[in-house]
């Protein structure tokens, strides 16, 4: 019996990649800077389970620095390493697809950092198709800020809030009750068709509630993503008859391609609960892929260092419960999809190394060579499961 698990901590980078200067991210180090901040606050990070697997050593390998609070230098229990991104972007889709064997070697389209950010032709067409009275914002923005800046005007006029970021995205925010959730989804579906010529990765519906300048996003976010451009690890597992359990955002990121079970949860800890359930249920040749999005969505983009540190502590504390459920023949990898250093300027992702830490009952502890592509992760799991090898990446174990 062989099973595979991917635990992906969304945005948990370990330090700037050699080409990070091209992205304005020369000094980025999500993990290291959080640990430095915690030490300065007088409450050093303690992630004993992740540290034992080799997290501190992987951070050192990526950045040349030992993160404060991480004193273990040997005797690690995981096969630990780091991986470089081959894709040209630093977005979620590129990171996830590359892990699964499909690096994004073409350039996504991006909307410029101007006001308006979106081409008039596009917004005019979308307005005509959907009948909305016009648009608000139409710029680069942080999603939690933009709904408070424009929420009152949106409620008064019925104009949706349109914004983007350094990622290849078009995001539409609208009030769940005043504008209507289904209506927002319909506008996003129309937008998804219209952005195709612009090579945009995702349209995201961002519903919110609240009143009088005080608005909060709801969990009814919905992503309309371009499907992977070639078969991924998920497809190979499904084609071989294995189950592919997609927890959290995973199904959306691969546009449902190769997924046999889509399991959602409102936050990291709820997703961890689901992971424990799936660990009991998953059978031979299965892939269980979970994306812990709070790191990115609630803390990285929001530049909330304390929140990020706390979320890491919460996850670390629950790892033993997951490890207790592992069986002979299980292979787990702990990884990320890009960085989002909460101490960096702005609110965007950062171009960083990702952790590539394998563990499981049969994994021999060792230091792995730096992977030239995130695809080494998927290639290792494909070999472990005995499914069709990926067209990119080499097996590290
Ligand atoms: O600021 P919010 O709306 O959270 O947006 C973030 O979430 C988007 C998709 O993950 C990213 O492109 C980034 O802009
Ligand atoms: Mn991400
Ligand atoms: Mn993000």
């Amino acid at each position: 019996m062989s099973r595979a698990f991917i635990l992906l901590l969304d945005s948990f980078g370990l330090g700037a990649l050699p080409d990070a200067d091209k992205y304005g991210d020369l000094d980025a180090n999500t993990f290291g800077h959080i640990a430095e901040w915690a030490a300065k606050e007088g409450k050093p990070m303690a992630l004993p389970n992740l540290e034992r697997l080799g997290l501190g050593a992987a951070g050192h390998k990526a950045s040349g620095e030992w993160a404060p609070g991480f004193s273990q230098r040997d005797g690690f229990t995981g096969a630990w390493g780091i991986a470089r991104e081959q894709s040209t972007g630093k977005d979620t889709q590129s990171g996830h697809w590359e892990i699964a064997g499909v690096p994004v070697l073409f350039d996504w389209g991006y909307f410029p950092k101007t006001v308006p950010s979106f081409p008039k032709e596009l917004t005019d067409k979308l307005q005509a198709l959907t009948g909305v009275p016009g648009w608000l914002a139409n710029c680069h923005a942080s999603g939690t800020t933009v709904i408070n800046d424009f929420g009152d005007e949106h409620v008064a006029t019925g104009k949706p809030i349109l914004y983007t970021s350094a990622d290849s995205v078009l995001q539409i925010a609208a009030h769940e009750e005043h504008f209507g959730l289904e209506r927002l989804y319909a506008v996003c579906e129309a937008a998804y068709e219209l952005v195709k010529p612009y090579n945009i990765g995702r349209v995201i519906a961002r519903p919110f509630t609240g009143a009088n300048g005080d608005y909060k996003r709801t969990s009814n976010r919905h992503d309309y993503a371009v499907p992977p451009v070639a078969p991924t690890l998920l497809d190979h597992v499904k084609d071989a008859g294995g189950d592919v359990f997609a927890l959290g955002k995973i199904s959306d990121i691969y546009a449902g391609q190769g997924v046999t079970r889509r399991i959602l949860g409102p936050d990291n800890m709820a997703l961890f609960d689901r992971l424990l359930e799936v660990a009991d249920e998953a059978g031979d040749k299965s892939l269980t892929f979970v994306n812990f999005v709070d790191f990115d969505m609630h803390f990285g983009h929001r530049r909330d260092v304390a929140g990020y540190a706390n979320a890491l502590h919460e996850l670390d504390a629950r790892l033993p419960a997951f490890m207790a459920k592992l069986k002979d023949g299980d292979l787990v990898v702990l990884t990320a999809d890009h960085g989002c250093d909460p101490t960096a300027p702005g609110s965007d992702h950062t171009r960083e190394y990702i952790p590539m830490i394998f563990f499981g009952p049969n994994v021999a502890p060792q230091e792995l060579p730096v992977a030239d592509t995130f695809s080494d992760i998927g290639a290792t799991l494909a070999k472990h499961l005995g499914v069709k090898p990926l067209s990119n990446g080499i097996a590290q174990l």
Side-chain angles (χ1 to χ4, degrees):
M1 167 121 150
S2 55
R3 310 188 300 172
F5 296 84
I6 305 176
L7 275 45
L8 189 147
L9 282 55
D10 200 308
S11 86
F12 190 49
L14 298 187
L17 278 170
D19 62 1
D21 58 325
K22 282 193 233 149
Y23 300 77
D25 297 329
L26 196 58
D27 298 320
N29 186 349
T30 301
F31 169 47
H33 289 155
I34 296 168
E36 273 171 26
W37 171 88
K40 278 198 198 112
E41 291 285 302
K43 37 187 177 189
M45 285 187 93
L47 305 175
N49 299 298
L50 288 165
E51 183 173 22
R52 210 170 297 124
L53 289 170
L55 177 65
H60 175 255
K61 195 177 175 83
S63 68
E65 313 255 352
W66 287 94
F70 289 75
S71 55
Q72 190 174 343
R73 297 291 180 267
D74 50 32
F76 304 111
T77 54
W80 58 272
I82 56 175
R84 270 196 279 266
E85 182 153 22
Q86 191 185 356
S87 304
T88 49
K90 52 174 177 175
D91 58 282
T92 291
Q93 270 162 302
S94 297
H96 281 75
W97 292 7
E98 183 169 328
I99 285 171
V102 181
V104 177
L105 303 174
F106 59 86
D107 283 325
W108 291 114
Y110 298 96
F111 295 112
K113 218 169 181 169
T114 51
V115 186
S117 183
F118 301 97
K120 189 171 179 328
E121 199 198 358
L122 172 66
T123 47
D124 283 354
K125 261 195 208 158
L126 190 57
Q127 188 176 345
L129 267 176
T130 58
V132 301
W135 307 102
L136 298 174
N138 201 334
C139 59
H140 277 236
S142 158
T144 45
T145 309
V146 81
I147 56 171
N148 283 306
D149 290 348
F150 291 93
D152 288 343
E153 201 180 340
H154 164 70
V155 169
T157 64
K159 296 178 182 176
I161 300 166
L162 203 59
Y163 69 104
T164 187
S165 72
D167 294 336
S168 183
V169 289
L170 180 150
Q171 311 203 68
I172 308 178
H175 198 284
E176 278 200 8
E177 292 98 48
H178 290 284
F179 190 85
L181 185 60
E182 292 309 319
R183 193 165 155 228
L184 171 61
Y185 289 160
V187 174
C188 288
E189 277 164 35
Y192 177 74
E193 294 305 321
L194 291 183
V195 297
K196 279 182 180 164
Y198 298 90
N199 217 14
I200 298 302
R202 271 188 296 175
V203 171
I204 310 179
R206 297 291 200 165
F208 62 90
T209 54
N212 303 326
D214 183 17
Y215 298 100
K216 293 223 161 15
R217 301 202 291 206
T218 73
S219 57
N220 290 320
R221 162 185 177 163
H222 193 79
D223 294 40
Y224 302 80
V226 172
V229 292
T232 68
L233 172 69
L234 285 66
D235 296 295
H236 292 334
V237 174
K238 187 180 174 190
D239 291 348
D243 258 322
V244 177
F245 296 90
L247 279 69
K249 260 170 63 169
I250 294 299
S251 184
D252 280 347
I253 295 165
Y254 295 92
Q257 210 171 272
V259 172
T260 65
R261 290 273 299 277
R262 177 172 186 249
I263 300 170
L264 302 177
D267 53 37
N268 277 0
M269 289 303 102
L271 285 169
F272 210 98
D273 292 338
R274 302 287 87 75
L275 171 66
L276 295 181
E277 289 160 14
V278 173
D280 283 333
E281 189 190 330
D284 193 24
K285 274 204 183 352
S286 63
L287 171 67
T288 301
F289 196 166
V290 54
N291 170 294
F292 294 107
V293 74
D294 294 358
F295 294 111
D296 177 80
M297 186 168 72
H298 291 318
F299 311 121
H301 285 295
R302 310 284 84 88
R303 298 306 192 241
D304 178 353
V305 194
Y308 209 130
N310 182 54
L312 286 167
H313 285 121
E314 281 183 353
L315 186 104
D316 185 82
R318 299 207 63 191
L319 272 181
F322 171 65
M323 289 169 170
K325 291 189 179 289
L326 295 179
K327 304 173 188 167
D328 201 41
D330 284 353
L331 178 61
V332 188
V333 63
L334 188 134
T335 189
D337 54 343
H338 50 71
C340 199
D341 185 339
T343 70
S347 66
D348 289 320
H349 294 162
T350 42
R351 178 92 173 164
E352 295 185 49
Y353 285 99
I354 58 161
M356 179 183 64
I357 302 177
F358 295 98
F359 61 97
N362 318 106
V363 173
Q366 59 190 289
E367 176 179 353
L368 299 170
V370 179
D372 286 329
T373 165
F374 294 1
S375 296
D376 285 9
I377 291 170
T380 309
L381 300 184
K383 180 181 168 195
H384 174 75
L385 293 173
V387 302
K388 188 175 166 197
L390 304 184
S391 47
N392 195 53
I394 51 165
Q396 291 267 355
L397 295 175

